[in-house]
């Protein structure tokens, strides 16, 4: 039996999934059911790592707009995908042959972890290998012998465990059944092997690879063979990343993050830093106010299980519309017309009657009448499934915006940036660090604020830090998307997008409230959905909804405005979570032929990679976390196509060397022999660790910018 390990990609306008594992060959056994299967309550929502049955199952998830947290991964012939699922959805997947292998995070965990982090902050004091698959085809049965090329062979050690990662390509690119097996040898003579999985993207073969494999010690030789008889040359795996930052001096100050921070908390910290470090800080109010933590008030008029109309206020709920009532009444008389009136904060729909005095208005007629006669106050849509049904006498129902955050100001929000440096006049090379484009990524502003505080606190005591702030102009936007973040903290912790609801018609039904909004990192102009690139959606309920037009959202316009108004910015880092990636442009491609945005020049590609090694090395200094070489590179190559993302905007439009972090690297579980995800809102101890290590990476990016500026000055 041939066990096929094939990794392909599917492009879709709803959600882009750039890696898919094909189904096993005929006769392959389904995965064994776990002794204690993972389940969720029907209405519970969680982030779940799922072993999917086959490519067709993932394709169906893609087509229906599943919320995929990151790129699916291949391991030992399996496809593992992280999905935000309800209990009903997980049960459906399980019935179709999928197996849940890890609950990464439950919907309630975010609030619990936030509360735990706050309690901890109040009391905390700051102290200074598998064997190759059987059944491979022999060379005698093969039509031709292929050639293998080693693209990556790296090793590193984390927490006492050494790992090896390999990536190879075969010249038999059109044969989906080619299998490649890697063999390794250590200095003391230990040997072993593991299989690779085929990776295709947008229908095109890219390479074969595997997740990092544990090995007993430093590997000194790696070779590979294919099922067609191809043999690679022997190579010596290289140490990754083989770069380390300068040693921190005695008394270096760090660990400024005590708890998860809401946008209100972040606003207060920005104010405090500006007051505490007047000589080193400016606060920049970005020009485009966001909608704020506000929504239109809405109610069901009638019973959605029988027949109902959704009535929604034109103004936001906090603008005097929360608590407004809506009702339908029977006039109690014959031959009466359908009428609509609004008085004393009550919208009354008097239903039409026939000659016998029976009400005869339909749901469609009621919705049309409200829209025609009260267009400045209300909009109405027929609830999905209620079209054409008799409208019942119902109500009064109270309109409400549904928002739970009682401590969040209900007003347009001014997004703020910190500007750090001795010379904040544009005369020094600029670096931009920005975070929380995606609301649910709670650890990301902890990274940028920890970085800012390190730079400021140590500028007074550490000559090296002072020198950096003499030579570099630093900009920090801790939360790009404060409205979505407020919603994530107070209402639905898996919220990804902002709060602007561009949906029309039935999609505005309150049952969809956790799916409204625009994906800010799909709303930029370069390589956008509107230009035919993949990785974003026109579906307003999709997690990757691109908006109504390029830069339709205040949040994306703010990032562009800051960069455009400060042309000295030459380096930028967009901080996301989770999964452990380090990426740069191009970040998008067109599906036909997988045509990416233009590739950087050789010199720029070298700068991207060499800088990545330095920054990854700095991250690893904190607790040994290593971003895998297979997850270091252009976005379109190591993650997926992300049409209209901000890094492409900054690089192609403004000439900025723009990178992306995905903090929250998978953690190795030595007991299970599995890499396990940490999620968007891990327990605070993990989020704290992520803040510490990736803040060190941002400090190294400042050194990269300093060295770049010095080299540019030296060459004229």
């Amino acid at each position: 039996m041939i066990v096929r390990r094939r990794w392909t990609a599917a492009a879709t306008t709803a959600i882009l999934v750039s890696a898919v594992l094909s189904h096993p060959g005929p006769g392959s056994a389904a995965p064994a059911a776990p002794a204690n299967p993972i389940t969720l309550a029907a209405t519970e929502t969680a982030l779940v790592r799922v072993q999917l049955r086959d490519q067709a199952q993932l394709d169906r998830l893609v087509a229906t707009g599943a919320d995929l947290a990151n790129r699916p991964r291949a391991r030992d012939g399996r496809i593992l995908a992280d999905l935000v699922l309800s209990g009903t959805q997980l049960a459906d997947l399980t019935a179709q042959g999928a197996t849940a292998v890890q609950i990464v995070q439950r919907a309630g965990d975010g609030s619990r972890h936030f509360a735990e982090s706050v309690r901890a902050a109040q009391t905390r004091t700051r102290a200074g290998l598998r064997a190759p698959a059987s059944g491979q085809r022999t060379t005698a049965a093969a039509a031709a012998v292929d050639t293998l090329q080693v693209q990556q062979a790296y090793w590193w050690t984390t927490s006492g465990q050494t790992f090896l990662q390999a990536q190879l390509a075969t010249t038999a690119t059109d044969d989906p059944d080619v299998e490649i097996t890697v063999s390794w040898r250590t200095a003391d003579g230990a040997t072993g092997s593991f299989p690779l999985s085929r990776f295709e993207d947008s229908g095109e073969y890219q390479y074969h690879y595997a997740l990092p494999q544990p090995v007993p010690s430093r590997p000194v030789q790696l070779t590979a063979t294919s099922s067609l008889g191809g043999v690679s040359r022997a190579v010596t795996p290289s140490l990754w990343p083989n770069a380390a930052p300068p040693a921190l001096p005695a008394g270096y100050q760090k660990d400024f993050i005590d708890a998860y921070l809401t946008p209100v908390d972040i606003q207060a910290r920005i104010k405090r830093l500006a007051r505490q470090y007047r000589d080193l800080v400016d606060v920049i109010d970005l020009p485009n106010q966001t909608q704020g933590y506000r929504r239109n008030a809405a109610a069901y008029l009638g019973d959605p299980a029988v027949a109902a109309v959704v009535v929604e206020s034109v103004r936001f709920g906090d603008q005097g519309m929360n608590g407004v009532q809506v009702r339908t009444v029977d006039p109690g008389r014959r031959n009466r017309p359908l009428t609509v009136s609004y008085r004393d904060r009550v919208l009354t729909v008097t239903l039409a009657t026939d000659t016998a005095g029976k009400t005869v208005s339909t749901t469609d007629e009621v919705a049309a009448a409200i829209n025609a006669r009260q267009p400045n106050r209300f909009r109405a849509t027929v609830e999905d499934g209620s079209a054409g049904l008799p409208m019942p006498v119902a109500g009064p129902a109270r309109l409400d915006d549904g928002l739970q955050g009682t401590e969040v100001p209900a007003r347009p929000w001014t997004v703020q940036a910190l500007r750090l440096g001795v010379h904040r006049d544009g005369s020094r090379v600029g670096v931009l660090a920005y975070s929380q484009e995606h609301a649910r990524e709670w650890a990301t502003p902890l990274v940028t604020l920890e970085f800012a505080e390190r730079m400021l606190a140590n500028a007074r005591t550490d000559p090296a830090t002072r020198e950096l702030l003499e030579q570099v102009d630093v900009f920090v936007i801790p939360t790009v998307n404060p409205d979505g973040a407020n919603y994530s903290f107070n209402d639905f912790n898996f919220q990804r997008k902002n709060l602007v609801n561009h949906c029309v018609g039935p999609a505005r039904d309150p049952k969809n409230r956790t799916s409204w909004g625009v994906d800010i990192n799909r709303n930029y102009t370069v390589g956008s959905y509107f230009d035919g690139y993949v990785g974003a959606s026109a579906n307003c309920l999709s997690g990757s909804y691109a908006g109504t037009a390029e830069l339709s959202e205040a949040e994306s316009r703010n990032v562009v405005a800051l960069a455009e108004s400060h042309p000295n910015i030459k380096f930028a880092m967009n901080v996301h979570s989770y999964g452990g990636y380090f990426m740069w442009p191009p970040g998008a491609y067109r599906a036909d032929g997988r045509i990416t945005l233009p590739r950087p020049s050789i010199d720029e590609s070298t700068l991207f990679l060499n800088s990545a090694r330095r920054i990854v090395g700095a991250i690893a200094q904190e607790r040994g976390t290593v971003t895998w070489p297979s997850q270091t590179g252009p976005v379109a190559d190591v993650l997926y196509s992300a049409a209209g993302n901000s890094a492409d905007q900054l690089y192609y439009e403004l000439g900025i060397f723009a990178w992306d972090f995905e903090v929250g690297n998978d953690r190795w579980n030595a007991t299970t022999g599995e890499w396990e995800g940490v999620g968007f809102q891990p327990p605070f101890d993990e989020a704290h660790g992520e803040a510490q290590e990736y803040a060190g990476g941002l400090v190294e990016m400042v050194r990269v910018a300093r060295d770049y500026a010095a080299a540019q000055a030296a060459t004229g």
Side-chain angles (χ1 to χ4, degrees), residues 672-688:
T672 64
E674 298 281 353
W675 291 99
E676 296 180 344
V678 298
F680 300 112
Q681 299 136 23
F684 181 71
D685 284 350
E686 169 60 26
H688 175 265

Side-chain angles (χ1 to χ4, degrees), residues 84-104:
V84 177
L85 298 168
S86 68
T88 300
Q89 291 168 328
L90 178 58
D92 289 343
L93 279 179
T94 302
Q96 297 165 16
T99 304
V101 298
Q102 181 193 357
I103 298 291
V104 180

Side-chain angles (χ1 to χ4, degrees), residues 687-703:
H688 175 265
E690 293 169 16
Q692 300 308 307
E693 61 195 2
Y694 277 88
L698 290 177
V699 172
E700 185 63 22
M701 184 176 69
V702 175
R703 296 191 188 102

Side-chain angles (χ1 to χ4, degrees), residues 43 65 345 376 380 431 466 491 496 519 589 613:
T43 59
R345 290 173 52 82
N376 296 325
V431 168
R466 181 74 183 188
D491 299 89
R496 170 182 169 95
D519 183 345
Y589 56 68
R613 285 177 176 270

Side-chain angles (χ1 to χ4, degrees), residues 323-354:
V324 166
Q325 299 182 62
V326 56
R327 62 178 183 157
T328 55
V329 298
D330 182 344
R333 299 170 62 186
R334 295 178 294 173
N335 296 320
R336 306 309 296 173
L338 176 64
T339 62
V340 176
S341 63
Y342 181 67
R343 182 179 178 181
D344 298 333
R345 290 173 52 82
V346 178
L347 176 67
T348 300
V349 180
T350 304
L351 302 176
T353 58
D354 61 14

Side-chain angles (χ1 to χ4, degrees), residues 129-460:
L129 304 154
R130 279 179 90 87
S134 61
Q136 292 183 334
R137 289 180 289 176
T138 63
T139 55
V145 176
D146 60 336
T147 300
L148 301 182
Q149 174 64 43
V150 179
Q151 295 180 335
Q152 288 186 357
Y154 291 108
W155 69 276
W156 64 90
T157 299
T158 297
S159 301
Q161 175 63 62
T162 301
F163 294 95
L164 171 65
Q165 185 160 55
Q167 179 176 301
L168 290 94
T170 173
T171 54
T173 59
D174 295 331
D175 187 342
D177 297 326
V178 175
E179 291 199 351
I180 297 177
T181 300
V182 164
S183 298
W184 50 264
R185 177 172 58 83
T186 64
D188 59 3
T191 60
S193 62
F194 55 87
L196 303 184
S197 298
R198 178 183 175 93
F199 173 49
E200 293 181 6
D201 195 14
S202 195
E204 295 189 5
Y205 173 75
Q206 303 297 307
Y207 46 76
H208 280 69
Y209 86 112
L211 301 185
Q213 303 291 308
V215 294
S217 60
R218 177 174 65 90
V220 295
Q221 181 175 290
L222 179 147
T223 58
T225 58
S226 84
S227 54
L228 294 179
V231 179
S232 75
R233 63 185 178 87
V235 299
T236 301
S238 300
L239 177 64
W240 174 264
N242 199 23
L248 296 178
Y252 185 86
Q253 300 175 73
K254 60 179 185 174
D255 196 1
F256 295 94
I257 298 300
D258 296 304
Y260 277 122
L261 300 175
T262 70
V264 175
D265 299 329
I266 290 169
Q267 200 172 56
R269 184 163 298 211
I270 288 173
K271 184 176 181 179
R272 189 260 292 170
L273 291 175
R275 182 176 63 251
Q276 185 176 354
Y277 300 99
R278 297 179 188 277
D279 57 327
L280 294 173
V281 172
D282 292 330
V283 176
I284 302 172
D285 289 340
L286 299 183
N288 303 286
Q289 284 192 319
T290 68
Q291 172 180 290
Y293 181 66
R294 303 191 293 177
R295 277 188 167 165
N296 307 86
Y300 289 111
L301 180 57
D303 183 354
V306 180
V309 169
V310 176
V311 180
E312 179 184 6
S313 64
V314 171
R315 293 186 299 173
F316 293 117
D318 70 290
Q319 296 175 310
M321 300 307 292
N322 282 332
V324 166
Q325 299 182 62
V326 56
R327 62 178 183 157
T328 55
V329 298
D330 182 344
R333 299 170 62 186
R334 295 178 294 173
N335 296 320
R336 306 309 296 173
L338 176 64
T339 62
V340 176
S341 63
Y342 181 67
R343 182 179 178 181
D344 298 333
R345 290 173 52 82
V346 178
L347 176 67
T348 300
V349 180
T350 304
L351 302 176
T353 58
D354 61 14
T355 56
K358 179 183 177 182
T359 59
V360 294
S361 300
T362 67
T363 52
D364 301 77
E365 291 167 343
V366 168
I370 294 172
N371 290 330
R373 296 167 195 175
Q374 291 288 330
N376 296 325
R377 287 193 179 97
F378 303 99
R379 65 172 68 92
T381 57
V382 178
E383 192 270 336
D384 190 24
S386 295
L389 296 178
M391 186 69 206
V393 174
R398 300 180 70 89
L399 272 64
D400 190 83
D401 60 17
L403 298 174
Q404 303 299 311
T406 58
E407 298 178 0
V408 181
R411 61 174 182 266
W413 192 283
T414 298
V415 180
Q416 293 181 313
L418 288 162
R419 187 177 190 178
L420 321 177
V422 175
H423 306 284
R424 304 184 301 279
D425 56 7
S427 63
R428 304 298 194 266
V429 63
V431 168
L432 168 62
Y434 59 111
S435 49
Q436 209 169 31
E437 281 186 321
H438 292 148
R440 62 193 179 190
E441 298 171 3
W442 292 4
T444 62
L446 308 186
V447 173
T448 50
L449 283 171
E450 171 71 21
F451 158 66
E453 293 226 35
R454 286 188 190 185
M455 297 298 294
L456 294 170
N458 289 291
R460 294 177 175 174

